[in-house]
Amino acid sequence: MVRINLDTPDIMDAQEASKIWGHAENYVRLFYQQNPNKFPKGTIRKIGRQWVVTTEGMEAITGEKDPRKK
């Protein structure tokens, strides 16, 4: 079994990710509803009522590298 480090900053909730990339809080949710195939497999998931996305997923849909690493 692969161990996943949940302390990594590369996993975040969708609202936080939207803010980091400079978009409205609902950007990730709306983008996913309209373009689910744009997210690479395994980069977004709904857990309960919360959407969780990875840095890789955000970079794929925005075309921008992680702004926190600039």
Side-chain angles (χ1 to χ4, degrees):
M1 177 182 249
V2 176
R3 187 174 188 188
I4 299 171
N5 179 5
L6 295 176
D7 290 330
T8 180
D10 290 327
I11 300 173
M12 63 207 96
D13 70 68
Q15 285 184 334
E16 178 185 6
S18 295
K19 288 180 191 176
I20 290 169
W21 267 263
H23 295 281
E25 288 184 0
N26 61 350
Y27 174 78
V28 173
R29 182 178 50 83
L30 292 176
F31 192 96
Y32 183 77
Q33 287 175 349
Q34 296 170 4
N35 307 287
N37 295 327
K38 298 280 184 175
F39 285 90
K41 185 176 176 169
T43 62
I44 189 166
R45 182 173 181 178
K46 189 172 185 183
I47 301 172
R49 296 176 61 200
Q50 186 70 45
W51 283 99
V52 178
V53 65
T54 64
T55 299
E56 178 187 355
M58 288 303 294
E59 290 175 348
I61 67 167
T62 63
E64 299 175 24
K65 294 290 184 186
D66 188 343
R68 300 171 295 179
K69 296 180 181 174
K70 289 183 179 177

